[in-house]
Coordinates of all heavy atoms in Angstrom, one line a residue:
M8 N -10.0 -7.9 13.1 CA -9.8 -7.3 11.8 C -9.4 -5.9 11.9 O -9.9 -5.1 12.6 CB -11.1 -7.5 11.0 CG -11.0 -8.5 9.9 SD -12.4 -8.7 8.8 CE -13.8 -7.9 9.7
L9 N -8.5 -5.4 11.0 CA -8.0 -4.1 11.0 C -8.4 -3.4 9.7 O -8.2 -4.0 8.6 CB -6.4 -4.1 11.1 CG -5.9 -4.9 12.3 CD1 -4.4 -5.3 11.9 CD2 -5.9 -4.1 13.6
E10 N -8.9 -2.2 9.8 CA -9.3 -1.5 8.6 C -8.0 -0.9 8.0 O -7.2 -0.4 8.6 CB -10.3 -0.4 9.0 CG -10.9 0.2 7.7 CD -11.9 1.4 8.0 OE1 -12.3 1.5 9.2 OE2 -12.1 2.1 7.0
I11 N -8.0 -1.1 6.7 CA -6.9 -0.5 5.9 C -7.3 0.9 5.5 O -8.3 1.2 4.9 CB -6.6 -1.3 4.6 CG1 -6.2 -2.7 5.0 CG2 -5.6 -0.7 3.7 CD1 -6.1 -3.7 3.8
T12 N -6.4 1.9 5.8 CA -6.6 3.3 5.4 C -5.4 3.6 4.5 O -4.4 3.0 4.5 CB -6.7 4.3 6.5 OG1 -5.4 4.3 7.2 CG2 -7.8 3.8 7.5
K13 N -5.5 4.7 3.8 CA -4.5 5.1 2.9 C -3.2 5.4 3.7 O -2.1 5.0 3.3 CB -4.9 6.5 2.2 CG -4.1 6.8 0.9 CD -4.7 8.0 0.3 CE -3.9 8.4 -1.0 NZ -2.5 8.9 -0.6
E14 N -3.4 5.9 4.9 CA -2.2 6.3 5.7 C -1.5 5.1 6.3 O -0.4 4.9 6.2 CB -2.7 7.2 7.0 CG -3.1 8.6 6.5 CD -4.4 8.7 5.8 OE1 -5.2 7.8 6.1 OE2 -4.5 9.6 5.0
N15 N -2.3 4.1 6.9 CA -1.6 3.0 7.6 C -1.0 2.1 6.6 O 0.0 1.4 6.8 CB -2.5 2.4 8.6 CG -3.8 1.7 8.1 OD1 -3.9 1.4 6.9 ND2 -4.7 1.5 8.9
I16 N -1.6 1.9 5.4 CA -1.1 1.0 4.4 C 0.2 1.5 3.8 O 1.1 0.8 3.4 CB -2.2 0.5 3.4 CG1 -1.7 -0.8 2.7 CG2 -2.5 1.6 2.3 CD1 -1.7 -2.0 3.6
E17 N 0.2 2.9 3.6 CA 1.4 3.4 3.1 C 2.6 3.3 3.9 O 3.7 2.9 3.5 CB 1.2 5.0 2.9 CG 0.7 5.3 1.5 CD 0.4 6.8 1.3 OE1 0.8 7.6 2.1 OE2 -0.3 7.1 0.3
K18 N 2.4 3.4 5.2 CA 3.5 3.1 6.2 C 3.9 1.7 6.2 O 5.1 1.3 6.3 CB 3.0 3.4 7.6 CG 3.3 4.9 8.0 CD 2.9 5.2 9.4 CE 2.6 6.6 9.6 NZ 1.8 6.9 10.8
A19 N 2.9 0.8 6.1 CA 3.2 -0.7 6.1 C 4.0 -1.1 4.8 O 4.8 -1.9 4.8 CB 1.9 -1.4 6.2
I20 N 3.5 -0.5 3.7 CA 4.3 -0.8 2.4 C 5.7 -0.3 2.5 O 6.6 -1.0 2.1 CB 3.5 -0.2 1.2 CG1 2.2 -0.9 1.0 CG2 4.4 -0.2 0.0 CD1 1.2 -0.2 0.0
E21 N 5.9 0.9 3.1 CA 7.2 1.5 3.3 C 8.1 0.5 4.1 O 9.3 0.2 3.8 CB 7.1 2.8 3.9 CG 8.4 3.7 3.6 CD 8.1 5.1 4.1 OE1 7.1 5.7 3.5 OE2 8.7 5.6 5.0
K22 N 7.5 0.0 5.2 CA 8.2 -0.9 6.1 C 8.6 -2.2 5.3 O 9.6 -2.8 5.5 CB 7.5 -1.1 7.3 CG 8.4 -1.4 8.5 CD 7.7 -1.6 9.8 CE 8.6 -2.3 10.8 NZ 8.0 -2.9 11.9
A23 N 7.6 -2.6 4.5 CA 7.8 -3.9 3.8 C 9.0 -3.7 2.7 O 9.7 -4.7 2.5 CB 6.5 -4.3 3.1
R24 N 9.1 -2.5 2.1 CA 10.1 -2.2 1.2 C 11.5 -2.4 1.8 O 12.5 -2.8 1.2 CB 10.0 -0.8 0.6 CG 9.0 -0.8 -0.5 CD 9.2 0.4 -1.3 NE 8.1 0.6 -2.2 CZ 7.2 1.7 -2.1 NH1 7.5 2.6 -1.2 NH2 6.2 1.7 -2.9
I25 N 11.6 -2.0 3.2 CA 12.9 -2.1 3.9 C 13.1 -3.6 4.3 O 14.2 -4.1 4.1 CB 12.9 -1.2 5.1 CG1 12.6 0.2 4.6 CG2 14.1 -1.3 5.9 CD1 12.2 1.2 5.7
T26 N 12.1 -4.2 4.8 CA 12.2 -5.6 5.3 C 12.3 -6.6 4.3 O 12.9 -7.7 4.4 CB 11.0 -5.9 6.3 OG1 10.7 -4.7 7.1 CG2 11.3 -7.0 7.3
K27 N 11.6 -6.4 3.1 CA 11.6 -7.3 1.9 C 11.2 -8.7 2.3 O 12.0 -9.6 2.1 CB 12.9 -7.2 1.2 CG 13.2 -5.9 0.5 CD 14.4 -6.1 -0.4 CE 14.7 -4.8 -1.2 NZ 15.1 -3.7 -0.3
P28 N 10.1 -8.9 3.0 CA 9.7 -10.3 3.3 C 9.2 -11.1 2.0 O 9.0 -10.4 1.0 CB 8.5 -10.2 4.2 CG 8.0 -8.8 4.0 CD 9.1 -8.0 3.3
K29 N 9.2 -12.4 2.1 CA 8.8 -13.1 1.0 C 7.3 -13.3 1.0 O 6.8 -13.7 2.1 CB 9.6 -14.5 1.0 CG 9.5 -15.3 -0.2 CD 10.5 -16.5 -0.1 CE 10.0 -17.6 -1.1 NZ 9.2 -18.7 -0.4
V30 N 6.7 -13.1 -0.1 CA 5.2 -13.3 -0.1 C 4.8 -14.4 -1.0 O 5.2 -14.5 -2.1 CB 4.5 -12.0 -0.6 CG1 3.0 -12.2 -0.6 CG2 4.9 -10.8 0.3
K31 N 4.0 -15.3 -0.5 CA 3.5 -16.4 -1.3 C 2.0 -16.4 -1.3 O 1.4 -16.2 -0.3 CB 4.0 -17.7 -0.6 CG 3.9 -18.9 -1.5 CD 4.5 -20.2 -0.8 CE 3.6 -21.4 -1.2 NZ 3.6 -22.4 -0.2
V32 N 1.4 -16.5 -2.5 CA -0.1 -16.6 -2.6 C -0.6 -17.9 -2.2 O -0.2 -19.0 -2.8 CB -0.5 -16.3 -4.1 CG1 -2.0 -16.2 -4.2 CG2 0.1 -14.9 -4.5
L33 N -1.5 -18.0 -1.2 CA -2.1 -19.2 -0.8 C -3.3 -19.6 -1.6 O -3.6 -20.6 -2.2 CB -2.4 -19.3 0.7 CG -1.2 -19.1 1.6 CD1 -1.6 -19.0 3.0 CD2 -0.2 -20.4 1.5
E34 N -4.1 -18.5 -1.7 CA -5.3 -18.4 -2.6 C -5.7 -16.9 -2.7 O -5.1 -16.1 -2.0 CB -6.5 -19.3 -2.0 CG -6.9 -18.8 -0.6 CD -8.0 -19.7 0.0 OE1 -9.1 -19.6 -0.5 OE2 -7.8 -20.5 1.0
F35 N -6.7 -16.7 -3.5 CA -7.1 -15.3 -3.6 C -7.5 -14.7 -2.3 O -8.3 -15.3 -1.5 CB -8.3 -15.2 -4.6 CG -8.7 -13.8 -4.8 CD1 -7.8 -12.9 -5.4 CD2 -10.1 -13.3 -4.6 CE1 -8.2 -11.6 -5.7 CE2 -10.4 -12.0 -4.9 CZ -9.5 -11.1 -5.4
R36 N -6.8 -13.6 -1.9 CA -7.1 -12.9 -0.7 C -6.3 -13.6 0.6 O -6.4 -13.2 1.7 CB -8.5 -12.7 -0.3 CG -9.2 -11.7 -1.3 CD -10.6 -11.5 -0.8 NE -11.0 -10.3 -1.5 CZ -12.3 -10.0 -1.7 NH1 -13.3 -10.7 -1.1 NH2 -12.7 -8.9 -2.3
R37 N -5.5 -14.6 0.3 CA -4.8 -15.2 1.4 C -3.3 -15.3 1.1 O -3.0 -15.9 0.0 CB -5.4 -16.5 1.8 CG -6.3 -16.4 3.1 CD -6.9 -17.8 3.5 NE -5.9 -18.6 4.1 CZ -5.6 -19.9 3.8 NH1 -6.3 -20.5 2.9 NH2 -4.6 -20.5 4.5
Y38 N -2.4 -14.8 1.9 CA -1.0 -14.9 1.6 C -0.2 -15.4 2.8 O -0.5 -15.1 3.9 CB -0.6 -13.4 1.3 CG -1.4 -12.8 0.1 CD1 -2.6 -12.2 0.4 CD2 -1.0 -13.1 -1.2 CE1 -3.3 -11.7 -0.7 CE2 -1.7 -12.6 -2.3 CZ -2.9 -11.9 -2.0 OH -3.7 -11.5 -3.1
A39 N 0.9 -16.0 2.5 CA 1.9 -16.4 3.5 C 3.1 -15.4 3.4 O 3.6 -15.2 2.3 CB 2.3 -17.8 3.3
V40 N 3.4 -14.8 4.4 CA 4.6 -13.8 4.4 C 5.7 -14.4 5.4 O 5.4 -14.6 6.5 CB 4.1 -12.4 4.9 CG1 5.3 -11.5 4.8 CG2 2.9 -12.0 4.1
T41 N 6.9 -14.5 4.8 CA 8.1 -15.0 5.5 C 9.1 -13.9 5.6 O 9.5 -13.3 4.7 CB 8.6 -16.3 4.8 OG1 7.5 -17.2 4.6 CG2 9.6 -17.0 5.7
N42 N 9.6 -13.7 6.9 CA 10.7 -12.9 7.2 C 11.9 -13.6 6.8 O 12.3 -14.6 7.4 CB 10.7 -12.4 8.6 CG 11.8 -11.4 8.9 OD1 12.9 -11.6 8.5 ND2 11.4 -10.4 9.5
K43 N 12.7 -13.2 5.8 CA 13.9 -13.9 5.3 C 15.0 -14.0 6.4 O 15.8 -14.9 6.3 CB 14.5 -13.2 4.0 CG 13.6 -13.5 2.8 CD 14.2 -12.7 1.6 CE 13.2 -12.7 0.5 NZ 13.6 -11.7 -0.5
T44 N 15.0 -13.0 7.3 CA 16.1 -13.0 8.3 C 15.8 -13.9 9.4 O 16.6 -14.7 9.8 CB 16.2 -11.5 8.8 OG1 16.3 -10.6 7.7 CG2 17.5 -11.4 9.6
T45 N 14.6 -13.8 9.9 CA 14.2 -14.6 11.2 C 13.6 -16.0 10.8 O 13.4 -16.9 11.6 CB 13.2 -13.8 12.0 OG1 12.0 -13.7 11.4 CG2 13.9 -12.5 12.5
G46 N 13.0 -16.0 9.5 CA 12.2 -17.3 9.1 C 10.9 -17.3 9.7 O 10.2 -18.2 9.4
A47 N 10.5 -16.2 10.3 CA 9.1 -16.2 10.9 C 8.1 -16.1 9.7 O 8.3 -15.4 8.7 CB 8.9 -14.9 11.8
N48 N 7.0 -16.9 10.0 CA 6.1 -17.1 8.9 C 4.6 -16.7 9.4 O 4.2 -17.2 10.4 CB 6.1 -18.5 8.4 CG 5.3 -18.7 7.1 OD1 5.3 -17.9 6.3 ND2 4.6 -19.8 7.1
Y49 N 3.9 -15.8 8.7 CA 2.7 -15.3 9.1 C 1.7 -15.4 7.9 O 2.1 -15.4 6.8 CB 2.7 -13.9 9.7 CG 3.6 -13.9 10.9 CD1 4.8 -13.2 10.9 CD2 3.2 -14.4 12.1 CE1 5.7 -13.2 12.0 CE2 4.0 -14.3 13.2 CZ 5.2 -13.7 13.2 OH 6.0 -13.7 14.2
E50 N 0.4 -15.4 8.3 CA -0.6 -15.5 7.3 C -1.4 -14.2 7.3 O -2.0 -13.8 8.3 CB -1.5 -16.8 7.5 CG -2.0 -17.3 6.2 CD -2.8 -18.6 6.5 OE1 -2.2 -19.5 6.9 OE2 -4.0 -18.6 6.4
V51 N -1.6 -13.7 6.1 CA -2.4 -12.4 5.9 C -3.6 -12.7 5.1 O -3.5 -13.4 4.1 CB -1.5 -11.4 5.2 CG1 -2.3 -10.1 4.9 CG2 -0.3 -11.0 6.1
S52 N -4.7 -12.2 5.5 CA -5.9 -12.3 4.7 C -6.6 -10.9 4.5 O -6.5 -10.1 5.4 CB -6.9 -13.4 5.3 OG -7.2 -13.0 6.6
F53 N -7.3 -10.7 3.4 CA -8.0 -9.5 3.1 C -9.5 -9.7 3.0 O -9.9 -10.8 2.5 CB -7.5 -8.9 1.8 CG -6.0 -8.4 1.9 CD1 -5.0 -9.2 1.3 CD2 -5.7 -7.3 2.5 CE1 -3.7 -8.8 1.5 CE2 -4.4 -6.9 2.6 CZ -3.3 -7.6 2.1
T54 N -10.2 -8.8 3.4 CA -11.7 -8.8 3.4 C -12.2 -7.5 2.9 O -11.7 -6.4 3.3 CB -12.3 -9.1 4.8 OG1 -11.6 -10.1 5.4 CG2 -13.7 -9.6 4.6
K55 N -13.3 -7.5 2.2 CA -13.9 -6.2 1.8 C -15.4 -6.2 2.3 O -16.0 -7.2 1.9 CB -13.9 -6.1 0.3 CG -13.7 -4.7 -0.3 CD -13.5 -4.7 -1.7 CE -13.6 -3.3 -2.4 NZ -13.4 -3.3 -3.8
I56 N -15.7 -5.2 3.1 CA -17.1 -5.1 3.6 C -17.6 -3.7 3.4 O -17.0 -2.8 3.8 CB -17.1 -5.5 5.1 CG1 -16.5 -6.8 5.4 CG2 -18.6 -5.3 5.7 CD1 -16.1 -7.0 6.9
G57 N -18.6 -3.7 2.6 CA -19.3 -2.4 2.3 C -18.4 -1.3 1.8 O -18.4 -0.2 2.3
G58 N -17.5 -1.7 0.9 CA -16.6 -0.7 0.3 C -15.4 -0.5 1.1 O -14.4 0.2 0.7
K59 N -15.3 -1.0 2.4 CA -14.1 -0.8 3.2 C -13.3 -2.0 3.2 O -13.7 -3.1 3.0 CB -14.5 -0.5 4.7 CG -15.1 0.9 4.9 CD -15.3 1.1 6.3 CE -15.8 2.5 6.6 NZ -16.1 2.8 8.0
K60 N -12.0 -1.7 3.3 CA -11.0 -2.9 3.2 C -10.5 -3.2 4.6 O -10.1 -2.3 5.3 CB -9.9 -2.6 2.2 CG -10.3 -2.6 0.8 CD -9.1 -2.1 -0.1 CE -9.6 -1.6 -1.4 NZ -8.7 -0.6 -2.0
F61 N -10.4 -4.5 4.8 CA -9.9 -5.0 6.1 C -8.9 -6.1 5.9 O -8.8 -6.7 4.9 CB -11.1 -5.6 6.9 CG -12.1 -4.6 7.3 CD1 -13.2 -4.4 6.5 CD2 -11.9 -3.9 8.5 CE1 -14.1 -3.4 6.8 CE2 -13.0 -2.9 8.8 CZ -14.1 -2.8 8.0
A62 N -7.9 -6.1 6.8 CA -6.9 -7.2 6.7 C -6.7 -7.8 8.1 O -6.9 -7.2 9.1 CB -5.6 -6.5 6.3
D63 N -6.2 -9.0 8.1 CA -5.9 -9.8 9.2 C -4.5 -10.4 9.0 O -4.1 -10.8 8.0 CB -6.8 -11.0 9.4 CG -8.0 -10.7 10.4 OD1 -7.7 -10.0 11.4 OD2 -9.1 -11.0 10.1
C64 N -3.7 -10.4 10.1 CA -2.4 -11.0 10.1 C -2.3 -11.8 11.3 O -2.8 -11.5 12.4 CB -1.3 -9.9 10.0 SG 0.3 -10.7 9.9
T65 N -1.5 -13.0 11.3 CA -1.4 -13.9 12.4 C -0.3 -13.5 13.3 O 0.0 -14.1 14.3 CB -1.2 -15.3 12.0 OG1 -0.2 -15.4 11.0 CG2 -2.5 -15.9 11.3
C66 N 0.5 -12.4 13.0 CA 1.6 -11.9 13.9 C 1.0 -11.2 15.0 O -0.2 -10.8 15.1 CB 2.6 -11.1 13.0 SG 2.1 -9.4 12.9
P67 N 1.9 -11.0 16.1 CA 1.3 -10.3 17.3 C 1.0 -8.8 17.1 O 0.5 -8.2 18.1 CB 2.5 -10.5 18.3 CG 3.4 -11.4 17.7 CD 3.3 -11.3 16.2
A68 N 1.3 -8.2 16.0 CA 1.1 -6.7 15.8 C -0.5 -6.5 16.0 O -1.3 -7.3 15.5 CB 1.6 -6.3 14.6
T69 N -0.8 -5.3 16.5 CA -2.3 -5.0 16.6 C -2.6 -3.8 15.7 O -3.7 -3.2 15.9 CB -2.6 -4.6 18.1 OG1 -1.6 -3.6 18.5 CG2 -2.5 -5.7 19.0
K70 N -1.7 -3.5 14.7 CA -2.1 -2.6 13.8 C -1.6 -3.1 12.4 O -1.1 -4.2 12.3 CB -1.3 -1.3 14.1 CG 0.1 -1.4 14.2 CD 0.8 -0.1 14.7 CE 2.3 -0.2 14.9 NZ 3.1 0.2 13.8
I71 N -1.9 -2.3 11.3 CA -1.5 -2.8 10.0 C 0.0 -2.9 9.9 O 0.7 -2.0 10.0 CB -2.0 -1.8 8.9 CG1 -3.6 -1.7 8.9 CG2 -1.5 -2.1 7.5 CD1 -4.4 -2.8 8.4
C72 N 0.4 -4.2 9.8 CA 1.9 -4.5 9.9 C 2.5 -4.6 8.5 O 1.8 -4.5 7.5 CB 2.1 -5.8 10.7 SG 1.2 -7.2 9.8
Y73 N 3.8 -4.8 8.5 CA 4.5 -4.8 7.2 C 4.1 -6.1 6.4 O 4.3 -6.1 5.2 CB 6.0 -4.6 7.4 CG 6.7 -5.8 7.9 CD1 7.2 -6.7 7.1 CD2 7.0 -5.9 9.3 CE1 8.0 -7.8 7.6 CE2 7.7 -6.9 9.8 CZ 8.2 -7.8 9.0 OH 8.9 -8.9 9.5
H74 N 3.7 -7.1 7.1 CA 3.3 -8.4 6.4 C 2.1 -8.0 5.5 O 2.0 -8.5 4.3 CB 2.8 -9.5 7.4 CG 3.9 -9.7 8.5 ND1 3.7 -9.4 9.8 CD2 5.1 -10.3 8.3 CE1 4.8 -9.8 10.4 NE2 5.6 -10.3 9.6
I75 N 1.2 -7.2 6.0 CA 0.1 -6.8 5.3 C 0.5 -5.9 4.1 O 0.0 -6.0 3.0 CB -1.0 -6.1 6.1 CG1 -1.6 -7.1 7.2 CG2 -2.1 -5.5 5.3 CD1 -2.4 -6.5 8.3
G76 N 1.4 -5.0 4.5 CA 2.0 -4.1 3.4 C 2.7 -4.9 2.3 O 2.5 -4.4 1.2
A77 N 3.4 -5.9 2.6 CA 4.0 -6.7 1.6 C 3.0 -7.5 0.8 O 3.2 -7.6 -0.4 CB 5.0 -7.7 2.3
S78 N 1.9 -8.0 1.3 CA 0.9 -8.7 0.7 C 0.1 -7.9 -0.3 O -0.4 -8.4 -1.3 CB 0.0 -9.4 1.7 OG 0.7 -10.1 2.6
I79 N -0.2 -6.7 0.1 CA -1.1 -5.9 -0.6 C -0.7 -5.6 -2.1 O -1.6 -5.6 -3.0 CB -1.5 -4.6 0.1 CG1 -2.9 -4.0 -0.4 CG2 -0.4 -3.5 0.0 CD1 -3.8 -3.6 0.6
G80 N 0.6 -5.5 -2.3 CA 1.1 -5.4 -3.7 C 0.6 -6.5 -4.5 O 0.1 -6.3 -5.6
A81 N 0.9 -7.7 -4.0 CA 0.5 -8.9 -4.7 C -1.1 -9.0 -4.9 O -1.6 -9.4 -5.9 CB 1.0 -10.2 -4.1
H82 N -1.7 -8.5 -3.8 CA -3.2 -8.6 -3.8 C -3.8 -7.7 -4.8 O -4.7 -8.1 -5.6 CB -3.7 -8.3 -2.4 CG -5.1 -8.3 -2.3 ND1 -5.9 -9.4 -2.4 CD2 -6.1 -7.3 -2.1 CE1 -7.2 -9.1 -2.4 NE2 -7.3 -7.9 -2.2
I83 N -3.3 -6.4 -5.0 CA -3.8 -5.5 -6.0 C -3.7 -6.0 -7.4 O -4.6 -6.0 -8.1 CB -3.1 -4.1 -5.8 CG1 -3.6 -3.5 -4.4 CG2 -3.4 -3.2 -6.9 CD1 -2.7 -2.3 -4.0
V84 N -2.5 -6.6 -7.7 CA -2.2 -7.2 -9.0 C -3.2 -8.3 -9.3 O -3.9 -8.3 -10.3 CB -0.8 -7.7 -9.1 CG1 -0.6 -8.5 -10.4 CG2 0.2 -6.5 -9.0
L85 N -3.4 -9.2 -8.3 CA -4.3 -10.3 -8.5 C -5.8 -10.0 -8.6 O -6.5 -10.4 -9.5 CB -4.2 -11.3 -7.2 CG -3.4 -12.5 -7.4 CD1 -3.5 -13.3 -6.0 CD2 -3.8 -13.4 -8.6
A86 N -6.2 -9.0 -7.8 CA -7.6 -8.5 -7.8 C -7.9 -7.9 -9.1 O -9.0 -8.0 -9.7 CB -7.8 -7.5 -6.7
E87 N -6.9 -7.1 -9.7 CA -7.1 -6.5 -11.0 C -7.2 -7.6 -12.1 O -8.0 -7.5 -13.0 CB -5.9 -5.6 -11.4 CG -6.2 -4.2 -10.7 CD -4.9 -3.3 -10.9 OE1 -4.0 -3.6 -11.6 OE2 -5.0 -2.2 -10.3
Q88 N -6.4 -8.6 -12.0 CA -6.4 -9.7 -12.9 C -7.8 -10.4 -12.9 O -8.4 -10.7 -13.9 CB -5.4 -10.8 -12.7 CG -4.0 -10.3 -13.2 CD -2.9 -11.2 -12.8 OE1 -3.1 -12.2 -12.0 NE2 -1.7 -10.9 -13.2
M89 N -8.3 -10.6 -11.7 CA -9.6 -11.3 -11.4 C -10.7 -10.4 -12.1 O -11.6 -10.9 -12.7 CB -9.9 -11.5 -9.9 CG -8.9 -12.4 -9.3 SD -9.4 -14.2 -9.4 CE -10.8 -14.2 -8.3
H90 N -10.6 -9.1 -11.8 CA -11.6 -8.2 -12.2 C -11.7 -8.2 -13.8 O -12.8 -8.3 -14.3 CB -11.2 -6.8 -11.7 CG -12.3 -5.8 -12.0 ND1 -13.6 -5.9 -11.4 CD2 -12.4 -4.7 -12.8 CE1 -14.3 -4.9 -11.8 NE2 -13.6 -4.1 -12.7
T91 N -10.5 -8.1 -14.4 CA -10.4 -8.1 -15.8 C -11.0 -9.5 -16.4 O -11.6 -9.5 -17.4 CB -9.0 -8.0 -16.3 OG1 -8.4 -6.9 -15.5 CG2 -8.8 -7.6 -17.7
A92 N -10.6 -10.6 -15.7 CA -11.0 -11.9 -16.2 C -12.6 -12.1 -16.1 O -13.0 -12.9 -16.9 CB -10.4 -13.0 -15.3
T93 N -13.2 -11.5 -15.2 CA -14.7 -11.7 -15.0 C -15.5 -10.8 -16.0 O -16.7 -10.9 -16.0 CB -15.1 -11.5 -13.6 OG1 -14.6 -10.3 -13.1 CG2 -14.6 -12.7 -12.7
R94 N -14.8 -9.9 -16.6 CA -15.6 -8.9 -17.4 C -15.9 -9.5 -18.8 O -15.2 -10.3 -19.3 CB -14.7 -7.6 -17.6 CG -15.5 -6.4 -17.1 CD -14.8 -5.2 -17.5 NE -13.7 -4.9 -16.7 CZ -13.1 -3.8 -16.7 NH1 -13.4 -2.7 -17.6 NH2 -12.0 -3.5 -16.0
Ligands
ZN25 ZN1 1.9 -9.1 10.5

């Protein structure tokens, strides 16, 4: 599990903007990310522990990768909707 920080997620989001992978929601906190050029498909999941955010990706990267960067945009929107819905 990799901890998400403001610095590493900003870099990942920036890379995702260039790479523009396809993000599909599997369920809340789980996403499938496909590289449109190579067709490579990876799964990203998010966890929150004690106020800290963590992410996992099935790709070989050992840091916060652009798959996570691509997913977090969709994740933030969904999490806000869930939050609003439960109020
Ligand atoms: Zn990845």
